[in-house]
Amino acid sequence: MTTVRALGLVAAGAAAVSIGVSAAPAQAATSYVALGDSYSSGTGTRSYIADGTACQRSTYAYPSLLAASKGLTLNFRACSGATVADVTNTQLSALSSSTTHVTLSVGGNDAGFADVLTECAMPGWASNCNGAIDAAQSFVNNVLPGRLSTLYTSVRSKAPNAKVVIVGYPRIFMGEDCNAFTWFSPAEETRLNAMADLLNSKTSSAAAAKGFSFANPTSRFIGHAVCDDVEWLNGLSDPVSESYHPNRPGHASGYAPTVSTPLTGSAFSLTAATSQKAALSADRLAAQQRTYAVRDASITPKEFRAPDLSTAEVKAAAARAGVDLSSRASIDKADRVWSERQAR
């Protein structure tokens, strides 16, 4: 009797262990939704997933690298050209109460930053760079904060349990223009960098008001701007859509470390294993994002446009400035005179 009873207790215990193991809930994958514009999608890295959109999502972008490094399951909704309205209308549906991590960069397109860069890249005698910057600054000071506040409220409502990190913009320039077919003056570059600082300031304040973290990439990108010895930001590029965006090192060494600690509580450094894991996620991400392709088609690309000196407006400006458009020396000389006036 004792032996039989003991065997019965052992069998019962084994059954209990078996039941306990089978009944234990599977650990849910950590859900990370990356929202925003081209600075989050990966425009500038020159390699994009085949998701049937013009969003230019890259496995070299910081959301993909962070997901691979930290074991997060990524829904990669960030899309080149996105404004606050685009994020609201096409991206927020990816959020839910089960979302655990969210990153978001947006605001530069609302301020028309690509158009401002386009204007300022022209020779000074043929453009109104200061006027374009003034208009953008007014928008960022007076309109953008309200838009961001409304958006951030929606993010928190749709993802009540998520850690949310709002991501800023780097300073693009280092004070000189080394590209052959753009004419940014030192004074213009200083003002454009100040524009990035203003965007970050207003975005950071709006984020803090909602209890969100803010990841500011400014300090990490110092020494790696356009025309620095080691660029983390593209200058004028071919294709032109790659221009003035973070390249692969910009995401791996600039953005990913900046965002990682506030988002995950741990530091980031790129490894071969992380790079491989991110690359292998391309097919899954592409299939996932194809389901959103109709929505993403509503987003209008906002791209820098290379200077065009053949237009009627430029020809008229050249005539007023005494510039011979058939002579690069004449074009550059007049631009230097313009830049020197700005510096006074």
Side-chain angles (χ1 to χ4, degrees), residues 75-339:
N75 189 345
F76 201 173
R77 294 298 299 125
C79 183
S80 179
T83 62
V84 168
D86 292 322
V87 172
T88 300
N89 296 332
T90 71
Q91 299 181 18
L92 292 190
S93 62
L95 302 176
S96 72
S97 60
S98 64
T99 303
T100 59
H101 297 73
V102 175
T103 55
L104 167 60
S105 66
V106 74
N109 289 324
D110 292 77
F113 198 57
D115 290 338
V116 174
L117 285 172
T118 295
E119 185 71 19
C120 294
M122 295 287 288
W125 48 266
S127 71
N128 183 16
C129 177
N130 284 325
I133 293 174
D134 289 343
Q137 286 180 330
S138 177
F139 177 89
V140 172
N141 280 316
N142 300 309
V143 180
L144 185 61
R147 290 189 184 182
L148 293 177
S149 179
T150 300
L151 173 62
Y152 295 168
T153 296
S154 297
V155 169
R156 177 50 75 208
S157 175
K158 291 180 177 296
N161 304 310
K163 173 64 178 178
V164 180
V165 176
I166 305 303
V167 183
Y169 300 93
R171 295 172 184 163
I172 294 177
F173 299 105
M174 48 76 78
E176 296 181 7
D177 187 358
C178 65
N179 290 285
F181 296 103
T182 57
W183 288 270
F184 294 103
S185 73
E188 289 168 347
E189 291 197 351
T190 297
R191 291 204 68 194
L192 289 165
N193 284 344
M195 180 74 191
D197 291 346
L198 179 64
L199 269 169
N200 286 340
S201 175
K202 295 301 180 181
T203 304
S204 176
S205 295
K210 301 299 180 183
F212 296 163
S213 298
F214 181 71
N216 189 342
T218 301
S219 61
R220 189 169 284 275
F221 275 82
I222 290 175
H224 300 289
V226 172
C227 294
D228 268 320
D229 287 342
V230 180
E231 291 182 325
W232 289 357
L233 292 153
N234 299 327
L236 180 62
S237 302
D238 182 18
V240 73
S241 62
E242 304 284 331
S243 304
Y244 306 107
H245 281 84
N247 54 27
R248 295 181 189 183
H251 279 274
S253 299
Y255 265 109
T258 298
V259 177
S260 182
T261 299
L263 184 68
T264 70
S266 61
F268 171 90
S269 60
L270 186 64
T271 65
T274 293
S275 295
Q276 182 180 31
K277 187 175 180 181
L280 291 174
S281 71
D283 289 344
R284 182 192 71 81
L285 292 174
Q288 179 190 58
Q289 295 311 310
R290 284 189 203 106
T291 66
Y292 299 99
V294 173
R295 292 181 188 177
D296 291 339
S298 67
I299 299 175
T300 303
K302 283 80 174 176
E303 296 178 350
F304 170 80
R305 299 179 302 283
D308 181 359
L309 305 189
S310 67
T311 67
E313 292 80 6
V314 170
K315 290 177 180 178
R320 292 192 297 270
V323 174
D324 178 4
L325 288 175
S326 67
S327 167
R328 179 60 188 258
S330 177
I331 294 169
D332 289 348
K333 180 180 179 179
D335 187 64
R336 284 194 298 272
V337 171
W338 187 274
S339 297

Side-chain angles (χ1 to χ4, degrees), residues 41-43 45 47-49 56-62 64 76:
S41 71
T43 300
T45 62
S47 177
Y48 308 108
I49 62 175
Q56 294 189 311
R57 299 182 176 104
S58 176
T59 57
Y60 294 98
Y62 76 82
S64 173
F76 201 173

